Amino acid sequence: MPAQAVATAFQRHFGYTAPLLVRAPGRVNLIGEHTDYNLGFVLPAAIDKEIYFAVGLNSGSEIRLVSHDLNDCCTVAIEQLHRTDTQWANYLLGVAAQLQKRGIVLAGFDCVFGGNIPVGAGMSSSAAVECGLAFALDKLLGTNIDKMTLAHVAQKAEHEYAGVMCGLMDQFASLFGRPSEVVRLDCRSLEYEYFPFDTQASRIVLCNSGVKHSLADSEYNKRRQECERGVHILQQHYPQVKSLRDATLEQIEAHRGEFDDITYRRCRYVVEENQRVLKACDDLARHDLAAFGQEMYASHAGLRDDYEVSCEELDALVEAAQQVPGVFGARMMGGGFGGCTINLVAPDQVDNFIRQVGAAYQQRFGRELETYQTSIVNGVSEAIVSEQVAPNGQ
Ligand code: GLA
Protein backbone atom coordinates (compact mmCIF):
# COMPACT_ATOMS: atom_id res chain seq x y z
CA MET A 1 0.00 0.00 0.00
CA PRO A 2 1.78 3.15 -1.19
CA ALA A 3 0.66 5.47 1.63
CA GLN A 4 1.99 2.98 4.13
CA ALA A 5 5.20 2.56 2.15
CA VAL A 6 6.00 6.29 2.08
CA ALA A 7 5.08 6.61 5.79
CA THR A 8 7.49 3.82 6.65
CA ALA A 9 10.21 5.30 4.45
CA PHE A 10 9.66 8.68 6.08
CA GLN A 11 10.29 7.26 9.52
CA ARG A 12 13.39 5.44 8.31
CA HIS A 13 14.87 8.55 6.67
CA PHE A 14 13.98 11.21 9.17
CA GLY A 15 13.59 9.31 12.43
CA TYR A 16 10.28 10.78 13.49
CA THR A 17 6.73 9.66 12.90
CA ALA A 18 3.25 10.95 12.14
CA PRO A 19 3.88 12.90 8.95
CA LEU A 20 0.92 14.22 7.00
CA LEU A 21 -0.01 11.68 4.32
CA VAL A 22 -1.36 12.95 1.03
CA ARG A 23 -2.34 11.34 -2.26
CA ALA A 24 -2.32 13.19 -5.57
CA PRO A 25 -3.74 11.61 -8.74
CA GLY A 26 -2.61 11.82 -12.34
CA ARG A 27 -5.18 12.61 -14.99
CA VAL A 28 -6.70 11.63 -18.28
CA ASN A 29 -8.10 14.15 -20.72
CA LEU A 30 -11.07 12.98 -22.75
CA ILE A 31 -10.88 15.84 -25.21
CA GLY A 32 -9.52 19.39 -25.47
CA GLU A 33 -5.78 19.11 -26.13
CA HIS A 34 -3.47 22.13 -26.30
CA THR A 35 -6.49 24.31 -25.66
CA ASP A 36 -5.76 25.20 -22.02
CA TYR A 37 -2.98 27.72 -22.67
CA ASN A 38 -5.16 29.18 -25.41
CA LEU A 39 -7.74 29.83 -22.69
CA GLY A 40 -10.19 27.35 -24.18
CA PHE A 41 -11.92 24.22 -22.86
CA VAL A 42 -10.60 20.91 -21.55
CA LEU A 43 -12.36 17.79 -20.24
CA PRO A 44 -10.05 15.92 -17.87
CA ALA A 45 -10.58 13.57 -14.92
CA ALA A 46 -8.36 12.44 -12.06
CA ILE A 47 -7.43 8.75 -12.25
CA ASP A 48 -6.30 5.97 -9.95
CA LYS A 49 -2.62 6.38 -10.82
CA GLU A 50 -1.31 8.34 -7.90
CA ILE A 51 1.64 9.82 -6.06
CA TYR A 52 1.78 9.44 -2.29
CA PHE A 53 3.51 11.85 0.05
CA ALA A 54 4.62 11.81 3.66
CA VAL A 55 5.44 15.37 4.73
CA GLY A 56 6.40 16.82 8.11
CA LEU A 57 7.78 20.11 9.46
CA ASN A 58 11.30 19.53 10.78
CA SER A 59 11.81 22.64 12.94
CA GLY A 60 14.99 23.43 11.00
CA SER A 61 15.54 25.64 7.98
CA GLU A 62 16.07 23.01 5.31
CA ILE A 63 13.88 21.27 2.78
CA ARG A 64 14.82 17.61 2.73
CA LEU A 65 13.34 15.60 -0.12
CA VAL A 66 13.42 11.88 -0.81
CA SER A 67 12.22 10.21 -4.00
CA HIS A 68 11.18 6.75 -2.85
CA ASP A 69 11.01 5.39 -6.40
CA LEU A 70 14.34 6.77 -7.58
CA ASN A 71 16.05 6.12 -4.27
CA ASP A 72 17.53 9.58 -4.36
CA CYS A 73 17.50 12.60 -2.07
CA CYS A 74 18.03 16.34 -2.24
CA THR A 75 18.42 18.99 0.46
CA VAL A 76 18.12 22.74 -0.02
CA ALA A 77 18.13 25.60 2.51
CA ILE A 78 14.90 27.60 2.60
CA GLU A 79 16.83 30.84 2.43
CA GLN A 80 18.51 29.77 -0.78
CA LEU A 81 15.72 28.13 -2.71
CA HIS A 82 16.86 27.54 -6.27
CA ARG A 83 16.51 25.22 -9.22
CA THR A 84 18.83 22.26 -8.87
CA ASP A 85 20.38 19.76 -11.26
CA THR A 86 18.13 17.13 -9.70
CA GLN A 87 15.17 17.24 -12.09
CA TRP A 88 12.62 15.42 -9.92
CA ALA A 89 13.34 17.74 -6.99
CA ASN A 90 12.67 20.86 -9.04
CA TYR A 91 8.93 20.17 -9.18
CA LEU A 92 8.82 20.19 -5.38
CA LEU A 93 11.26 23.04 -4.84
CA GLY A 94 9.34 25.04 -7.43
CA VAL A 95 6.18 24.74 -5.33
CA ALA A 96 7.97 25.89 -2.19
CA ALA A 97 9.46 28.81 -4.12
CA GLN A 98 6.04 29.85 -5.42
CA LEU A 99 4.57 29.85 -1.93
CA GLN A 100 7.50 31.94 -0.75
CA LYS A 101 6.93 34.35 -3.65
CA ARG A 102 3.37 34.79 -2.47
CA GLY A 103 4.67 36.00 0.87
CA ILE A 104 4.22 32.80 2.80
CA VAL A 105 6.90 32.22 5.42
CA LEU A 106 8.15 28.69 4.86
CA ALA A 107 9.31 26.36 7.59
CA GLY A 108 11.83 23.55 7.13
CA PHE A 109 10.11 20.37 6.01
CA ASP A 110 10.81 16.78 5.11
CA CYS A 111 9.10 14.91 2.31
CA VAL A 112 9.14 11.37 1.00
CA PHE A 113 7.11 10.66 -2.09
CA GLY A 114 6.51 7.84 -4.55
CA GLY A 115 3.77 6.34 -6.64
CA ASN A 116 2.63 4.53 -9.72
CA ILE A 117 2.06 7.19 -12.38
CA PRO A 118 4.27 6.24 -15.32
CA VAL A 119 6.65 9.11 -16.07
CA GLY A 120 6.51 10.64 -19.55
CA ALA A 121 3.32 8.78 -20.44
CA GLY A 122 1.07 11.83 -20.62
CA MET A 123 -0.69 11.17 -17.31
CA SER A 124 0.75 14.25 -15.61
CA SER A 125 2.97 12.77 -13.01
CA SER A 126 4.67 16.15 -12.64
CA ALA A 127 1.39 17.96 -11.91
CA ALA A 128 0.54 15.32 -9.32
CA VAL A 129 3.90 15.85 -7.64
CA GLU A 130 3.42 19.61 -7.58
CA CYS A 131 -0.20 19.55 -6.45
CA GLY A 132 0.36 16.97 -3.73
CA LEU A 133 3.11 19.01 -2.12
CA ALA A 134 1.21 22.29 -2.51
CA PHE A 135 -1.75 20.69 -0.74
CA ALA A 136 0.45 19.23 2.02
CA LEU A 137 2.32 22.48 2.70
CA ASP A 138 -0.92 24.42 2.78
CA LYS A 139 -2.19 22.06 5.46
CA LEU A 140 1.04 21.98 7.50
CA LEU A 141 1.59 25.73 7.37
CA GLY A 142 -2.09 26.46 7.99
CA THR A 143 -2.25 28.88 5.07
CA ASN A 144 -5.77 27.97 3.91
CA ILE A 145 -5.15 28.64 0.25
CA ASP A 146 -8.10 27.82 -2.00
CA LYS A 147 -7.72 24.96 -4.48
CA MET A 148 -7.72 27.12 -7.61
CA THR A 149 -4.83 29.16 -6.22
CA LEU A 150 -3.00 25.94 -5.35
CA ALA A 151 -3.44 24.87 -8.98
CA HIS A 152 -1.89 28.15 -10.11
CA VAL A 153 0.98 27.75 -7.63
CA ALA A 154 1.66 24.30 -9.04
CA GLN A 155 1.43 25.53 -12.64
CA LYS A 156 3.87 28.36 -11.94
CA ALA A 157 6.25 25.88 -10.33
CA GLU A 158 6.25 23.96 -13.60
CA HIS A 159 6.90 27.16 -15.59
CA GLU A 160 9.72 28.44 -13.47
CA TYR A 161 11.41 25.32 -12.12
CA ALA A 162 10.75 22.78 -14.91
CA GLY A 163 10.78 25.22 -17.82
CA VAL A 164 7.52 23.97 -19.37
CA MET A 165 5.04 26.74 -20.12
CA CYS A 166 2.08 24.45 -19.45
CA GLY A 167 -1.57 25.45 -19.19
CA LEU A 168 -3.69 24.82 -16.12
CA MET A 169 -5.39 21.57 -17.08
CA ASP A 170 -3.18 19.01 -15.35
CA GLN A 171 -2.93 20.81 -12.03
CA PHE A 172 -6.62 21.62 -12.09
CA ALA A 173 -7.56 17.99 -12.78
CA SER A 174 -5.32 16.64 -10.04
CA LEU A 175 -6.86 18.98 -7.47
CA PHE A 176 -10.48 19.17 -8.63
CA GLY A 177 -11.16 15.60 -9.77
CA ARG A 178 -14.26 13.83 -8.48
CA PRO A 179 -15.04 10.11 -8.49
CA SER A 180 -16.87 8.92 -11.62
CA GLU A 181 -17.04 12.41 -13.13
CA VAL A 182 -15.15 14.28 -15.80
CA VAL A 183 -14.84 18.01 -15.47
CA ARG A 184 -14.99 20.65 -18.14
CA LEU A 185 -12.85 23.65 -17.33
CA ASP A 186 -13.20 26.96 -19.09
CA CYS A 187 -9.58 28.08 -18.90
CA ARG A 188 -10.52 31.73 -19.41
CA SER A 189 -13.26 32.23 -16.80
CA LEU A 190 -12.03 29.28 -14.66
CA GLU A 191 -15.64 28.12 -14.38
CA TYR A 192 -16.01 24.37 -14.36
CA GLU A 193 -18.77 21.84 -14.66
CA TYR A 194 -18.80 18.15 -13.77
CA PHE A 195 -20.32 15.52 -16.07
CA PRO A 196 -21.05 11.97 -14.89
CA PHE A 197 -19.02 9.34 -16.72
CA ASP A 198 -20.92 6.08 -16.92
CA THR A 199 -18.48 3.21 -16.52
CA GLN A 200 -21.26 0.71 -17.20
CA ALA A 201 -21.37 2.07 -20.74
CA SER A 202 -17.69 2.62 -21.35
CA ARG A 203 -14.29 2.06 -19.80
CA ILE A 204 -11.26 4.26 -20.17
CA VAL A 205 -8.28 2.28 -21.40
CA LEU A 206 -4.88 3.87 -21.93
CA CYS A 207 -2.32 2.40 -24.34
CA ASN A 208 1.24 3.45 -23.64
CA SER A 209 3.24 3.88 -26.83
CA GLY A 210 6.37 3.55 -24.72
CA VAL A 211 7.76 6.57 -26.54
CA LYS A 212 8.96 8.95 -23.85
CA HIS A 213 8.08 12.50 -24.58
CA SER A 214 9.93 15.39 -23.16
CA LEU A 215 7.62 18.38 -23.14
CA ALA A 216 10.42 20.62 -21.97
CA ASP A 217 11.97 19.60 -25.25
CA SER A 218 11.06 22.96 -26.74
CA GLU A 219 8.32 21.67 -29.06
CA TYR A 220 5.61 22.32 -26.48
CA ASN A 221 6.78 25.86 -25.84
CA LYS A 222 7.14 26.33 -29.59
CA ARG A 223 3.46 25.49 -30.11
CA ARG A 224 2.56 28.15 -27.59
CA GLN A 225 4.58 30.71 -29.50
CA GLU A 226 2.97 29.70 -32.78
CA CYS A 227 -0.46 30.27 -31.25
CA GLU A 228 0.63 33.67 -29.94
CA ARG A 229 1.80 34.55 -33.43
CA GLY A 230 -1.68 33.71 -34.73
CA VAL A 231 -3.31 35.87 -32.05
CA HIS A 232 -1.01 38.72 -32.99
CA ILE A 233 -2.11 38.54 -36.64
CA LEU A 234 -5.80 38.40 -35.75
CA GLN A 235 -5.50 41.26 -33.28
CA GLN A 236 -4.60 43.66 -36.07
CA HIS A 237 -8.13 43.17 -37.40
CA TYR A 238 -10.05 42.06 -34.32
CA PRO A 239 -8.72 43.82 -31.24
CA GLN A 240 -11.12 41.83 -29.06
CA VAL A 241 -9.18 38.62 -29.81
CA LYS A 242 -6.95 38.21 -26.77
CA SER A 243 -6.33 34.48 -27.20
CA LEU A 244 -7.29 31.80 -29.72
CA ARG A 245 -10.29 31.10 -27.53
CA ASP A 246 -11.76 34.35 -28.82
CA ALA A 247 -11.07 33.59 -32.49
CA THR A 248 -13.41 32.04 -35.05
CA LEU A 249 -12.69 30.00 -38.16
CA GLU A 250 -14.26 32.73 -40.26
CA GLN A 251 -11.77 35.28 -38.92
CA ILE A 252 -8.84 32.98 -39.64
CA GLU A 253 -10.10 32.20 -43.14
CA ALA A 254 -10.74 35.88 -43.89
CA HIS A 255 -7.05 36.65 -43.30
CA ARG A 256 -5.53 33.37 -44.37
CA GLY A 257 -3.12 35.10 -46.69
CA GLU A 258 -1.42 36.80 -43.76
CA PHE A 259 -0.71 33.51 -41.98
CA ASP A 260 2.22 31.28 -42.83
CA ASP A 261 1.06 27.71 -43.33
CA ILE A 262 2.18 26.45 -39.92
CA THR A 263 0.59 29.26 -37.94
CA TYR A 264 -2.61 28.87 -39.96
CA ARG A 265 -2.89 25.15 -39.21
CA ARG A 266 -2.06 25.56 -35.51
CA CYS A 267 -4.76 28.20 -35.12
CA ARG A 268 -7.34 26.26 -37.08
CA TYR A 269 -6.73 23.21 -34.91
CA VAL A 270 -7.19 25.12 -31.64
CA VAL A 271 -10.40 26.83 -32.74
CA GLU A 272 -11.85 23.52 -33.98
CA GLU A 273 -10.76 21.65 -30.87
CA ASN A 274 -12.57 24.10 -28.61
CA GLN A 275 -15.74 23.55 -30.61
CA ARG A 276 -15.23 19.79 -30.33
CA VAL A 277 -15.04 19.94 -26.53
CA LEU A 278 -18.37 21.75 -26.31
CA LYS A 279 -19.98 19.38 -28.76
CA ALA A 280 -18.52 16.35 -26.97
CA CYS A 281 -19.93 17.54 -23.63
CA ASP A 282 -23.39 17.73 -25.20
CA ASP A 283 -22.88 14.20 -26.53
CA LEU A 284 -21.86 13.00 -23.09
CA ALA A 285 -24.87 14.62 -21.44
CA ARG A 286 -27.06 12.79 -23.99
CA HIS A 287 -25.19 9.52 -23.33
CA ASP A 288 -24.27 9.42 -26.99
CA LEU A 289 -20.88 7.77 -26.76
CA ALA A 290 -20.74 7.04 -30.46
CA ALA A 291 -20.96 10.76 -31.24
CA PHE A 292 -18.50 11.55 -28.44
CA GLY A 293 -16.06 9.06 -29.94
CA GLN A 294 -16.25 10.72 -33.35
CA GLU A 295 -15.09 13.97 -31.74
CA MET A 296 -12.15 12.07 -30.25
CA TYR A 297 -11.10 10.72 -33.63
CA ALA A 298 -11.39 14.20 -35.13
CA SER A 299 -9.30 15.57 -32.27
CA HIS A 300 -6.59 13.03 -33.03
CA ALA A 301 -6.61 13.85 -36.72
CA GLY A 302 -6.16 17.54 -35.91
CA LEU A 303 -3.34 16.85 -33.47
CA ARG A 304 -1.65 14.66 -36.07
CA ASP A 305 -2.09 16.77 -39.21
CA ASP A 306 -2.49 20.38 -38.09
CA TYR A 307 -0.92 20.66 -34.67
CA GLU A 308 1.71 18.03 -35.47
CA VAL A 309 2.28 16.69 -31.98
CA SER A 310 1.55 13.02 -32.64
CA CYS A 311 4.01 10.33 -33.71
CA GLU A 312 3.96 7.11 -35.73
CA GLU A 313 3.34 4.93 -32.70
CA LEU A 314 0.39 6.99 -31.43
CA ASP A 315 -1.15 7.11 -34.90
CA ALA A 316 -0.81 3.34 -35.22
CA LEU A 317 -2.47 2.81 -31.83
CA VAL A 318 -5.44 4.95 -32.81
CA GLU A 319 -5.74 3.20 -36.17
CA ALA A 320 -5.61 -0.20 -34.51
CA ALA A 321 -8.24 0.84 -31.94
CA GLN A 322 -10.55 1.95 -34.71
CA GLN A 323 -10.63 -1.62 -36.07
CA VAL A 324 -11.80 -3.18 -32.81
CA PRO A 325 -15.51 -3.72 -32.11
CA GLY A 326 -16.89 -1.84 -29.12
CA VAL A 327 -14.44 1.08 -29.35
CA PHE A 328 -16.28 4.40 -29.25
CA GLY A 329 -13.30 6.66 -29.77
CA ALA A 330 -9.52 6.95 -29.45
CA ARG A 331 -6.95 9.72 -29.57
CA MET A 332 -3.50 10.64 -28.38
CA MET A 333 -3.59 12.29 -24.98
CA GLY A 334 -1.64 15.10 -23.35
CA GLY A 335 1.22 17.12 -24.78
CA GLY A 336 2.08 14.53 -27.43
CA PHE A 337 5.25 13.24 -29.12
CA GLY A 338 4.71 9.96 -27.29
CA GLY A 339 2.92 8.85 -24.17
CA CYS A 340 -0.52 7.26 -24.25
CA THR A 341 -3.64 7.06 -26.32
CA ILE A 342 -6.96 7.25 -24.51
CA ASN A 343 -9.64 4.82 -25.66
CA LEU A 344 -13.30 4.56 -24.73
CA VAL A 345 -14.22 0.90 -24.90
CA ALA A 346 -17.44 -1.00 -24.17
CA PRO A 347 -16.84 -2.96 -20.92
CA ASP A 348 -17.42 -6.39 -22.46
CA GLN A 349 -14.93 -5.64 -25.23
CA VAL A 350 -12.01 -4.46 -23.09
CA ASP A 351 -10.16 -7.79 -23.03
CA ASN A 352 -10.54 -8.23 -26.74
CA PHE A 353 -9.43 -4.63 -27.30
CA ILE A 354 -6.25 -5.12 -25.30
CA ARG A 355 -5.50 -8.35 -27.13
CA GLN A 356 -6.07 -6.97 -30.62
CA VAL A 357 -4.36 -3.61 -30.23
CA GLY A 358 -1.50 -5.29 -28.36
CA ALA A 359 -1.03 -7.79 -31.19
CA ALA A 360 -1.09 -5.05 -33.85
CA TYR A 361 1.47 -3.03 -31.90
CA GLN A 362 3.71 -6.00 -31.36
CA GLN A 363 3.58 -6.86 -35.03
CA ARG A 364 4.35 -3.36 -36.24
CA PHE A 365 6.90 -2.17 -33.69
CA GLY A 366 8.15 -5.42 -32.15
CA ARG A 367 7.34 -4.16 -28.66
CA GLU A 368 4.91 -5.26 -26.02
CA LEU A 369 2.12 -2.78 -25.40
CA GLU A 370 1.49 -1.62 -21.87
CA THR A 371 -2.15 -0.78 -21.16
CA TYR A 372 -3.95 0.63 -18.13
CA GLN A 373 -7.61 0.32 -17.26
CA THR A 374 -8.24 3.41 -15.24
CA SER A 375 -11.02 4.54 -12.97
CA ILE A 376 -11.93 8.09 -12.16
CA VAL A 377 -11.16 9.14 -8.62
CA ASN A 378 -11.19 12.04 -6.22
CA GLY A 379 -8.68 14.88 -6.54
CA VAL A 380 -5.81 15.49 -4.11
CA SER A 381 -6.68 14.57 -0.54
CA GLU A 382 -5.19 13.34 2.70
CA ALA A 383 -4.34 9.67 2.41
CA ILE A 384 -5.62 7.03 4.73
CA VAL A 385 -3.37 4.21 5.82
CA SER A 386 -5.47 1.11 6.28
CA GLU A 387 -5.02 -0.63 9.62
CA GLN A 388 -4.35 -3.92 7.98
CA VAL A 389 -0.96 -3.94 6.43
CA ALA A 390 -0.46 -6.91 4.17
CA PRO A 391 2.16 -9.43 5.32
CA ASN A 392 4.65 -8.25 2.71
CA GLY A 393 4.30 -4.70 3.99
CA GLN A 394 2.79 -3.43 0.72
C1 GLA B 1 0.49 19.04 -21.14
C2 GLA B 1 0.37 20.36 -20.39
C3 GLA B 1 -1.09 20.80 -20.31
C4 GLA B 1 -1.75 20.79 -21.67
C5 GLA B 1 -1.47 19.47 -22.40
C6 GLA B 1 -1.96 19.48 -23.83
O1 GLA B 1 -0.12 18.01 -20.43
O2 GLA B 1 0.89 20.24 -19.09
O3 GLA B 1 -1.18 22.07 -19.72
O4 GLA B 1 -1.36 21.89 -22.44
O5 GLA B 1 -0.10 19.15 -22.43
O6 GLA B 1 -3.34 19.58 -23.84
Side-chain angles (χ1 to χ4, degrees):
M1 219 284 268
Q4 180 61 54
V6 289
T8 307
F10 184 93
Q11 184 171 7
R12 200 174 57 239
H13 278 281
F14 300 116
Y16 63 103
T17 52
L20 175 68
L21 298 180
V22 166
R23 51 165 281 283
R27 62 104 189 91
V28 291
N29 184 26
L30 270 68
I31 193 161
E33 222 64 88
H34 289 274
T35 43
D36 59 354
Y37 54 82
N38 288 300
L39 304 189
F41 300 97
V42 292
L43 190 63
I47 54 164
D48 57 345
K49 294 275 173 209
E50 299 170 316
I51 309 274
Y52 285 85
F53 300 76
V55 190
L57 299 182
N58 61 23
S59 69
S61 56
E62 282 181 342
I63 297 174
R64 300 186 294 183
L65 306 171
V66 175
S67 163
H68 184 60
D69 300 333
L70 299 174
N71 198 13
D72 195 14
C73 51
C74 177
T75 299
V76 171
I78 291 177
E79 296 312 321
Q80 286 150 30
L81 256 180
H82 60 276
R83 262 172 95 153
T84 65
D85 294 336
T86 310
Q87 252 326 310
W88 63 261
N90 285 336
Y91 298 107
L92 300 163
L93 296 171
V95 168
Q98 282 306 316
L99 292 175
Q100 211 173 41
K101 263 196 168 176
R102 285 175 184 256
I104 289 160
V105 180
L106 291 180
F109 68 89
D110 300 322
C111 169
V112 177
F113 76 104
N116 61 5
I117 310 180
V119 173
M123 288 182 231
S124 296
S125 55
S126 60
V129 169
E130 293 150 4
C131 292
L133 184 70
F135 179 91
L137 289 180
D138 177 56
K139 281 259 170 321
L140 289 171
L141 299 170
T143 37
N144 263 322
I145 303 173
D146 65 276
K147 274 200 295 186
M148 194 59 91
T149 307
L150 287 182
H152 281 107
V153 162
Q155 180 197 21
K156 274 273 176 160
E158 180 107 12
H159 288 185
E160 294 184 13
Y161 270 56
V164 182
M165 297 306 291
C166 63
L168 191 62
M169 168 169 71
D170 305 346
Q171 293 78 9
F172 170 83
S174 186
L175 282 156
F176 283 79
R178 270 198 203 162
S180 310
E181 292 183 326
V182 296
V183 53
R184 182 181 68 201
L185 173 67
D186 176 336
C187 298
R188 184 172 61 187
S189 67
L190 300 182
E191 280 164 9
Y192 51 93
E193 187 181 346
Y194 291 92
F195 293 81
F197 186 85
D198 180 6
T199 49
Q200 304 291 326
S202 170
R203 294 282 150 79
I204 298 174
V205 184
L206 306 181
C207 296
N208 192 346
S209 68
V211 179
K212 287 261 160 94
H213 64 175
S214 170
L215 290 180
D217 236 359
S218 73
E219 283 299 321
Y220 183 91
N221 294 346
K222 205 160 124 195
R223 292 297 176 284
R224 256 195 106 131
Q225 287 162 8
E226 288 160 355
C227 292
E228 280 160 21
R229 197 153 69 220
V231 170
H232 184 73
I233 296 170
L234 290 170
Q235 265 177 352
Q236 321 285 311
H237 308 283
Y238 312 101
Q240 73 277 19
V241 173
K242 304 270 188 283
S243 66
L244 286 182
R245 159 66 180 283
D246 306 317
T248 64
L249 284 180
E250 291 71 31
Q251 291 170 342
I252 296 173
E253 290 303 332
H255 298 280
R256 182 165 179 174
E258 296 162 46
F259 286 77
D260 61 90
D261 179 54
I262 287 188
T263 311
Y264 168 73
R265 286 187 289 119
R266 304 296 191 250
C267 293
R268 180 174 66 184
Y269 163 77
V270 171
V271 173
E272 288 178 347
E273 181 77 350
N274 275 325
Q275 292 173 350
R276 280 191 285 266
V277 180
L278 297 179
K279 167 102 190 353
C281 287
D282 289 345
D283 297 337
L284 200 57
R286 278 187 290 107
H287 306 287
D288 190 345
L289 284 175
F292 189 99
Q294 290 310 308
E295 300 302 325
M296 293 176 76
Y297 287 127
S299 168
H300 183 79
L303 288 159
R304 180 190 61 208
D305 302 333
D306 279 348
Y307 219 66
E308 295 180 286
V309 290
S310 188
C311 63
E312 208 190 332
E313 289 84 351
L314 290 169
D315 295 343
L317 285 172
V318 171
E319 268 164 45
Q322 221 155 352
Q323 313 300 317
V324 181
V327 175
F328 298 106
R331 50 182 285 277
M332 57 148 277
M333 186 180 77
F337 306 105
C340 288
T341 58
I342 176 169
N343 305 268
L344 298 192
V345 186
D348 61 348
Q349 290 293 330
V350 168
D351 291 344
N352 182 44
F353 168 84
I354 291 173
R355 222 177 9 254
Q356 279 201 36
V357 177
Y361 203 68
Q362 176 77 44
Q363 197 184 16
R364 171 123 178 230
F365 297 103
R367 283 206 297 272
E368 204 172 313
L369 179 67
E370 204 167 300
T371 58
Y372 317 96
Q373 297 185 51
T374 57
S375 26
I376 301 181
V377 301
N378 202 9
V380 178
S381 67
E382 281 191 41
I384 320 253
V385 177
S386 77
E387 298 294 329
Q388 289 170 334
V389 176
N392 62 2
Q394 294 297 291

